[in-house]
Amino acid sequence: MRCRPATANAGHPDGAILQPMLTRTECEALDAADPLASSREAFVLPAGRLYLDGNSLGPMPLAARERVQAVLEQEWSQSLIAGWNVHGWMSLPERLGASLAPLVGAAPAEVMVADTTTVNLFKLVAGWMSSPAVQASGRRKVVTELGNFPTDLYVLQGIEQLLGPRVELVAVPREQVLQAVDADTALLVLTHVHYKTAEMYDLAGVTAAAHAAGAAVLWDLSHSVGAVPLALGAARADLAVGCTYKYLNGGPGAPAFVYVREDLQAQLPAVIAGWLGHAAPFAFDDAYVPAAGVGRFRAGTPAILSMTALDGALEVFAGVDLQQVRAKSQAMADLFIALVEERCAAFGLQLITPRNAAARGSHVSFTHPEGYAVMQALIARDVVGDFRAPDAMRFGFTPLHTRFVDVWAAVEHLHAVLANEEWRRPEFQARQAVT
Ligand SMILES: *Cc1c(COP(=O)(O)O)cnc(C)c1O
């Protein structure tokens, strides 16, 4: 593969100039100079596999395995129920929140780990819409984006049903989101980085615009946290939720997080008013009194084994500079886009991710009419991305464990799959449950 001049794409409609083509040797040189290169050693990565799906399920950090083994062999088995006290299991949700806080630009007491993103969305949106302040304001609208991640839309639809006349859901196309926030809007619910296209909102700008209209904002950070530096506090963002099994590598089904800005915590009711969100759970009172801080959004007993895996996974981020992560992610995705468009131009792929690196998260999606089968054929070659209906192939760029040479090799495999029409093989047509 040969270089082409950077100006070759100057006439592109988006006005972007793609980075010049690189050879494999040049990619190896980029890896040799990469300040994040050694972080790859923190993960267990199956030999020979090009894993470009860390945006969907991060690989296993060695520290996650070690921590879980220690809890199994030294804590649960030996301490039994005393573990809740002697090993600090009960405070693990808050301690994990404090470890996660710098990754979202929040104060330690504003973040807590619990349940799933889906459940946490319900807690915060239903809580906000039933809060005394929103009730007094008379505002009823919750605005969101059509094409948002399905669970976000479904939870909002469920809350509209549950709270009846007090909530009206307004779901509009992306371009109309800010216009839809009006004097009757209580809450804007957006996903910061779109799961399919990787389009990224200006978190601070959108938050400020919603605030100017008197509305609060809830950000779903599932596809951002661990990949994009975030500054919830500086933006005065109100509420947020997000996943820990994607870029944070917390393990399959790892518990999610909630963020509630400190000054809002006391006025937000815990709609899932569980015993462990009570101010004094072990008083066993009949009447519910919420815990003072973000702890009220804890519902039931924390999943210690899953949280332990996340605890180990977050160790990997301890000393990592997120600006370096972001810069490498942008460089890898730029390289991928340029190589795919050069090598695979003849095969009907369509880029649906912003070409402008500043306007996207950390994955790149191309559509293809046979996208599912093409991805299956790639996976058969040990190049793992994923597929999102109806036709998007997603490739995630995870700077802590992906190398430039992996990006280069993945495009060579994609070219081979398309040029040889390997995707036509019948075994690549049958849909599996998880795509
Ligand atoms: C992955 C993802 C979720 C996942 O929610 P779960 O409750 O963990 O299944 C939610 N929202 C967005 C935007 C996501 O990308």
Side-chain angles (χ1 to χ4, degrees):
M1 188 178 306
R2 258 330 309 159
C3 291
R4 65 176 165 178
T7 48
N9 273 281
H12 192 278
D14 296 357
I17 296 174
L18 296 183
Q19 103 180 31
M21 295 292 91
L22 296 178
T23 61
R24 176 183 254 280
T25 311
E26 287 166 316
C27 288
E28 283 166 358
L30 285 177
D31 288 324
D34 173 15
L36 295 172
S38 65
S39 59
R40 185 173 161 87
E41 289 154 27
F43 296 90
V44 177
L45 295 163
R49 194 163 311 162
L50 299 181
Y51 192 62
L52 300 181
D53 213 2
N55 56 310
S56 204
L57 177 67
M60 182 173 68
L62 287 161
R65 180 166 69 188
E66 279 160 23
R67 292 281 298 117
V68 171
Q69 279 173 348
V71 169
L72 291 174
E73 281 151 32
Q74 286 141 43
E75 299 188 7
W76 178 18
S77 54
Q78 301 305 308
S79 306
L80 295 167
I81 198 157
W84 289 106
N85 290 322
V86 300
H87 301 301
W89 293 343
M90 200 46 99
S91 61
L92 193 50
E94 279 86 0
R95 285 189 285 123
L96 287 172
S99 309
L100 226 148
L103 299 174
V104 296
E110 293 176 318
V111 185
M112 194 197 52
V113 168
D115 304 308
T116 62
T117 302
T118 303
V119 171
N120 289 338
L121 258 170
F122 177 84
K123 290 179 204 166
L124 296 191
V125 176
W128 188 256
M129 295 311 291
S130 350
S131 67
V134 169
Q135 295 291 297
S137 75
R139 291 176 180 240
R140 302 166 48 250
K141 286 186 190 163
V142 175
V143 173
T144 194
E145 175 187 350
L146 284 170
N148 197 347
F149 190 76
T151 216
D152 299 58
L153 293 170
Y154 303 160
V155 164
L156 298 179
Q157 289 163 21
I159 289 172
E160 184 184 40
Q161 297 253 308
L162 180 73
L163 296 182
R166 287 151 63 189
V167 172
E168 182 193 344
L169 178 59
V170 180
V172 295
R174 190 173 180 94
E175 318 75 65
Q176 294 166 28
V177 160
L178 280 181
Q179 285 154 252
V181 176
D182 61 14
D184 195 22
T185 304
L187 186 63
L188 174 60
V189 178
L190 292 175
T191 298
H192 180 228
V193 172
H194 196 277
Y195 76 100
K196 202 181 282 183
T197 65
E199 288 168 286
M200 186 170 80
Y201 281 108
D202 165 9
L203 190 146
V206 171
T207 302
H211 286 176
V217 187
L218 183 152
W219 291 104
D220 185 332
L221 302 174
S222 293
H223 271 285
S224 320
V225 65
V228 179
L230 294 162
L232 291 176
R236 301 273 310 144
D238 305 277
L239 309 168
V241 296
C243 259
T244 67
Y245 50 79
K246 293 172 179 165
Y247 293 99
L248 295 181
N249 317 304
F257 64 89
V258 291
Y259 155 90
V260 181
R261 204 178 66 217
E262 198 145 21
D263 59 298
L264 302 175
Q265 291 172 7
Q267 51 172 295
L268 198 58
V271 288
I272 305 183
W275 74 300
L276 287 178
H278 191 281
F282 288 87
F284 289 99
D285 280 339
D286 286 345
Y288 182 74
V289 178
V294 76
R296 70 179 54 181
F297 302 106
R298 174 204 297 249
T301 307
I304 297 303
L305 293 180
S306 306
M307 290 197 183
T308 297
L310 176 59
D311 198 14
L314 290 177
E315 277 177 28
V316 176
F317 281 89
V320 163
D321 178 349
L322 279 180
Q323 302 296 341
Q324 282 182 353
V325 169
R326 177 72 172 144
K328 183 178 170 189
S329 145
Q330 293 181 324
M332 286 194 298
D334 279 344
L335 173 66
F336 183 74
I337 292 170
L339 288 173
V340 169
E341 292 191 336
E342 173 81 4
R343 292 285 284 148
C344 307
F347 305 112
L349 295 172
Q350 195 71 46
L351 179 69
I352 58 166
T353 295
R355 217 169 271 283
N356 171 11
R360 65 171 188 250
S362 204
H363 68 271
V364 171
S365 297
F366 280 94
T367 59
H368 185 278
E370 294 292 338
Y372 181 78
V374 173
M375 184 53 74
Q376 292 305 304
L378 269 176
I379 293 170
R381 284 173 161 266
D382 247 356
V383 179
V384 182
D386 62 20
F387 173 79
R388 288 294 173 263
D391 56 5
M393 295 189 283
R394 289 196 309 186
F395 301 89
F397 299 98
T398 41
L400 297 183
H401 53 86
T402 306
R403 299 165 300 195
F404 287 95
V405 73
D406 297 331
V407 176
W408 188 91
V411 178
E412 288 303 291
H413 283 287
L414 178 60
H415 177 264
V417 163
L418 292 166
N420 307 335
E421 300 197 349
E422 288 173 21
W423 53 268
R424 287 198 189 275
R425 299 224 294 262
E427 68 263 35
F428 299 143
Q429 308 288 327
R431 295 272 170 125
Q432 309 208 45
V434 176
T435 61

